[in-house]
Amino acid sequence: MPLYNPPMASREKEYLFIDGGCLNASVRKICQELFGDPNCYRAYIPSFAGGFDKVFYYDAVPAKEHGENDAAYEARVQPEHDRFAKIQALDRVHVALGHIVGSNRRQKGVDVRLAVDMMTYAFRGTITKATLFAGDADFVPLIEALVREGLHVTLWHPAQANERLRGAADTTRLFEFKRDFTCLTSDGQKPAFRFLSSGSGQISSSLSTITNVGDWWFSGSWRNGELEIWRTKNRESWEFSILSAPGADLQAAARAFDMVYPWDIAATAEQWVERAAP
């Protein structure tokens, strides 16, 4: 039986709480597995904010290295401070920072601050739902306590998240490229990948190359950071999808395309996708 019955919120509200260390590690893992470079993209926080009344982002500033002077340290961490400032400037988004300490690079002051904030908003009755982006078993007691008190908790988690953590939440959501591709950015200004349109009809008259791959016929173009792909089985009824991937090369765009639309184009795209004239 709950120990405390918070006042009912005037309307249903949901806040998102992000463990920044977990999010950044999750993005690096996706980038390594999909593009072969763990640092080619970063998390795009505005894409996380949709659907939530507020977003709370918790991260840590790297600690000073042994023997590192103040000037060198400040120069090294300034890009991180700049990144946090841009996140804090977003509407409805708030940043709380701790520090990374010790030889095992553990965050200090992050997990406790996150837990206190979630508990505070829940007990005040400010929110009726909460989503936590995390994967660490350290958050199991927090989720169990919030669930016991009647708060509906969703865990948004990477594939490698702790099993007990997933079991403690009311609902779970896997963080994966197929569903969350707009959550990556290369410039911090916009998503690195966006599907502009899809549908069916007559193939674009601008395409001249049609190639047979397995049971399908394909055609496509790569122009100005947009990958347009058409396919058909009978060469009469075509379907298409257009991916915007500014800053990516054709191979990276094709791999991203395949993760969302499993058309298996990446292995052969270099051979038949038409490119814009230099």
Side-chain angles (χ1 to χ4, degrees):
M1 183 175 180
L3 300 177
Y4 171 66
N5 293 317
M8 293 299 294
S10 58
R11 69 173 181 84
E12 192 169 82
K13 292 184 180 180
E14 183 172 5
Y15 290 176
L16 170 64
F17 301 83
I18 300 175
D19 176 356
C22 177
L23 173 59
N24 296 328
S26 302
V27 169
R28 287 194 296 271
K29 188 173 189 297
I30 286 175
C31 290
Q32 177 62 50
E33 293 175 350
L34 189 54
F35 306 111
D37 179 359
N39 300 309
C40 57
Y41 298 106
R42 301 197 74 161
Y44 185 57
I45 302 303
S47 289
F48 287 84
F52 297 99
D53 292 280
K54 291 179 184 290
V55 177
F56 295 87
Y57 179 85
Y58 304 82
D59 212 330
V61 179
K64 184 182 293 187
E65 301 287 353
H66 179 70
E68 186 177 27
N69 63 46
D70 290 344
Y73 172 69
E74 292 299 329
R76 179 167 62 86
V77 300
Q78 189 58 50
E80 287 298 287
H81 283 295
D82 293 342
R83 181 172 69 90
F84 297 141
K86 290 179 180 178
I87 296 173
Q88 177 66 55
L90 297 170
D91 290 345
R92 299 177 292 107
V93 178
H94 306 274
V95 175
L97 299 178
H99 293 277
I100 298 175
V101 298
S103 58
N104 60 353
R105 320 305 293 170
R106 292 284 293 177
Q107 293 181 345
K108 183 177 181 180
V110 173
D111 293 2
V112 172
R113 175 71 179 275
L114 189 160
V116 168
D117 286 350
M118 286 190 75
M119 294 293 289
T120 299
Y121 290 120
F123 275 93
R124 286 179 178 172
T126 308
I127 53 178
T128 52
K129 293 182 178 181
T131 292
L132 170 64
F133 189 106
D136 198 309
D138 288 349
F139 290 111
V140 170
L142 169 65
I143 293 182
E144 289 179 339
L146 291 172
V147 169
R148 283 196 304 269
E149 294 304 318
L151 190 73
H152 183 101
V153 180
T154 296
L155 177 70
W156 196 354
H157 65 89
Q160 67 273 21
N162 177 267
E163 184 176 353
R164 287 182 57 229
L165 184 69
R166 298 198 305 269
D170 291 296
T171 56
T172 60
R173 173 181 172 180
L174 176 65
F175 180 67
E176 57 179 345
F177 186 87
K178 180 177 181 177
R179 181 175 180 178
D180 301 306
F181 55 87
T182 61
C183 293
L184 303 185
T185 184
S186 59
D187 59 8
Q189 304 299 314
K190 58 185 179 300
F193 303 98
R194 291 184 300 121
F195 278 89
L196 303 180
S197 62
S198 60
S200 60
Q202 291 298 312
I203 189 172
S204 174
S205 59
S206 65
L207 299 174
S208 58
T209 303
I210 299 177
T211 301
N212 177 237
V213 181
D215 295 332
W216 295 89
W217 293 88
F218 287 95
S219 188
S221 66
W222 173 241
R223 296 185 177 93
N224 301 319
E226 291 185 7
L227 180 61
E228 178 179 347
I229 301 295
W230 292 75
R231 75 171 186 174
T232 183
K233 281 192 173 181
N234 54 24
R235 301 193 64 167
E236 294 179 2
S237 177
W238 291 81
E239 59 182 323
F240 74 93
S241 190
I242 303 175
L243 170 69
S244 172
D249 58 21
L250 171 58
Q251 191 59 44
R255 285 196 292 268
F257 187 101
D258 275 349
M259 290 298 293
V260 181
Y261 288 89
W263 290 7
D264 296 327
I265 67 167
T268 60
E270 297 276 0
Q271 303 169 22
W272 49 267
V273 171
E274 300 174 16
R275 297 168 178 79

